[in-house]
Amino acid sequence: MSLVVVGSMAYDAIETPFGKTERVLGGAATYIALASSYFTHPVQTISVVGYDFAESDIQIMRDHEINLEGVQIKTDEKSFFWSGKYHNDMNSRDTLVTELNVLGTFDPIVPASYQGCEYLLLGNLSPDVQRLVIERLDKRPKLIAMDTMNFWMDIALDSLHQTIAMVDVLIINDEEARQLTGEYSLKRAAKKIMSMGPKFAVIKKGEHGALLFHQDEVFSAPGLPLEEVFDPTGAGDTFAGGFIGHVAKTGDVSFDNLKRAVVYGSALASFCVEKFGPERLLGLSPEVIETRVNQFVRLANFDLT
Ligand code: AMP
C-alpha cells in the first residue's frame, strides 16, 4: 500500500572506532526508503538534493524501485551534509558538522501522484517542513509516524511540538525522549509523549532494543547481539523504514501489529550497522530478512515451565 517518505538525502562523513569515511551516501529519507522498499510499493519520496548529488546514488534508489518524483534537485546549492563521530561504545555519538545547505530553504512539493497515500513517514527534517507535508496532503493518511532528533529540539522546539501533536506515532531514541520530556524514566517519558498527541510512542535504545508504548501497554523488542558493528549511522532511520514498511504491507495499525513492526524495524536496523553507510541495505532478500526476524523471535522466546 502506498507510503510517502519525507526526509533528508545527504552526504555524511563518519568516524567510528573501526574506520572513517569522508563522504558516504546518507540522509534519513535514503535509509527509510531503502528499508521500506523491502516491504511495500510504491515508496514515494519527498526530499531535496544539490548539484553535488551523484547520479549513481540516485540510481541506487531507483534500483530499489523507489519513486523520486518528489525529490527536488537544486542546481545552485550543495546537498545536506552531516558529520558524526562515535564513542567507543558505539551507542553514543557527537555531531561534528550539520550543513543544512539545500535543506535550509526546502519547500516540499507533494506530487499529484502521491495524493491519497495511506501511510506517511516523516523522517528527520525541520518540523516546519514535516508539518507542511501533512498540510499539503489532500487527505489525512491512515497512519502518520515521525522521527526527529536533538538538533531540532535545540533550535525549533515550538514547531516540533506542533508537528508532534499531528502524528500517530513518534519514533525517537532514549536520549531524545529524555531531552524532549525532561523525564529520565522511559515509561514516564512515553506517557508525556502520548499526552502531546501521538497514540503510540516508540523509544529506541540502540543496541539494547526498542520499546513500543500505547495507552497502558508496553512491548519490548530485544536488540540482537551482533558480531560485527561497524557503523550505527542510519540505524534509527532504517528502523523507521522497516517499521512503516511492515505496517504499509499489512495495512494493520493495531497495537499487536505494531509490535511486529517494531521487530521488523529492529531486524532491518541490525543489517544497517554491519557496514558503513547504507551498503548493507542494498541487495537484501525477503528470505534473508525473514531469517533475521526469526533470530529476534528466538532471542526473546522462553517457556516458564
Ligand atoms: P540516524 O543514525 O538514524 O540518527 O540517522 C543518521 C542520518 O541522519 C545521517 O545519514 C544524516 O545525514 C541524517 N541527519 C543527521 N542530522 C540531521 C538533521 N538535523 N536533519 C536531517 N537529517 C539529519
Side-chain angles (χ1 to χ4, degrees):
M1 291 184 211
S2 58
L3 164 66
V4 167
V5 167
V6 189
S8 52
M9 287 171 70
Y11 285 114
D12 296 339
I14 303 163
E15 189 174 342
T16 81
F18 301 104
K20 201 173 165 173
T21 162
E22 293 299 324
R23 184 179 163 89
V24 66
L25 175 62
T30 310
Y31 284 103
I32 296 165
L34 286 171
S36 55
S37 73
Y38 288 101
F39 297 86
T40 191
H41 287 288
V43 175
Q44 300 168 311
T45 311
I46 296 178
S47 190
V48 60
V49 298
Y51 60 80
D52 55 340
F53 208 82
E55 178 58 31
S56 53
D57 289 328
I58 296 275
Q59 193 56 43
I60 287 176
M61 311 276 283
R62 286 207 193 99
D63 290 345
H64 282 75
E65 292 172 47
I66 293 164
N67 185 336
L68 301 174
E69 208 187 324
V71 177
Q72 301 170 43
I73 303 174
K74 300 271 175 194
T75 49
D76 53 348
E77 275 182 281
K78 278 181 88 171
S79 301
F80 176 71
F81 176 78
W82 176 82
S83 165
K85 182 175 174 178
Y86 287 84
H87 301 161
N88 278 340
D89 68 359
M90 301 271 258
N91 261 331
S92 54
R93 72 180 176 206
D94 292 324
T95 288
L96 304 179
V97 181
T98 299
E99 285 174 12
L100 291 177
N101 300 325
V102 286
L103 273 195
T105 53
F106 182 35
D107 188 10
I109 294 172
V110 179
S113 64
Y114 290 15
Q115 294 294 352
C117 73
E118 289 166 292
Y119 300 92
L120 173 63
L121 194 295
L122 301 169
N124 203 353
L125 203 62
S126 144
D128 289 341
V129 174
Q130 291 177 317
R131 208 164 52 251
L132 271 178
V133 173
I134 301 177
E135 287 164 1
R136 289 178 181 175
L137 287 172
D138 297 342
K139 193 171 141 257
R140 191 188 194 279
K142 192 168 164 187
L143 189 92
I144 305 178
M146 88 178 258
D147 185 13
T148 189
M149 71 186 293
N150 46 4
F151 180 83
W152 302 110
M153 292 175 202
D154 293 339
I155 67 165
L157 190 59
D158 285 349
S159 171
L160 186 60
H161 275 290
Q162 286 179 51
T163 308
I164 290 174
M166 297 169 80
V167 307
D168 302 298
V169 189
L170 180 67
I171 305 174
I172 50 177
N173 72 30
D174 43 6
E175 196 185 328
E176 292 156 355
R178 288 179 173 129
Q179 178 174 344
L180 181 67
T181 62
E183 294 286 354
Y184 184 79
S185 153
L186 295 180
K187 188 166 183 187
R188 284 188 177 201
K191 267 193 179 167
K192 268 203 180 167
I193 289 168
M194 289 187 285
S195 73
M196 295 172 189
K199 294 189 282 290
F200 300 91
V202 177
I203 302 185
K204 299 165 289 174
K205 301 184 294 166
E207 65 171 324
H208 304 300
L211 300 170
L212 168 69
F213 293 90
H214 175 56
Q215 295 172 349
D216 291 327
E217 308 240 41
V218 56
F219 168 72
S220 172
L224 188 68
L226 296 167
E227 295 206 10
E228 289 178 327
V229 177
F230 276 106
D231 172 21
T233 307
D237 306 313
T238 303
F239 173 96
F243 175 90
I244 200 73
H246 174 76
V247 175
K249 178 181 175 179
T250 53
D252 176 354
V253 296
S254 67
F255 179 65
D256 274 341
N257 197 46
L258 294 201
K259 289 185 198 174
R260 288 186 278 273
V262 167
V263 175
Y264 275 97
S266 303
L268 266 286
S270 77
F271 287 116
C272 177
V273 302
E274 289 178 334
K275 293 208 170 144
F276 263 102
E279 192 185 339
R280 185 72 176 99
L281 293 181
L282 314 181
L284 293 173
S285 67
E287 295 73 30
V288 169
I289 293 172
E290 227 33 59
T291 303
R292 184 65 62 98
V293 166
N294 281 320
Q295 285 180 271
F296 276 82
V297 174
R298 282 200 301 278
L299 186 65
N301 204 2
F302 63 92
D303 284 328
L304 271 183
T305 52

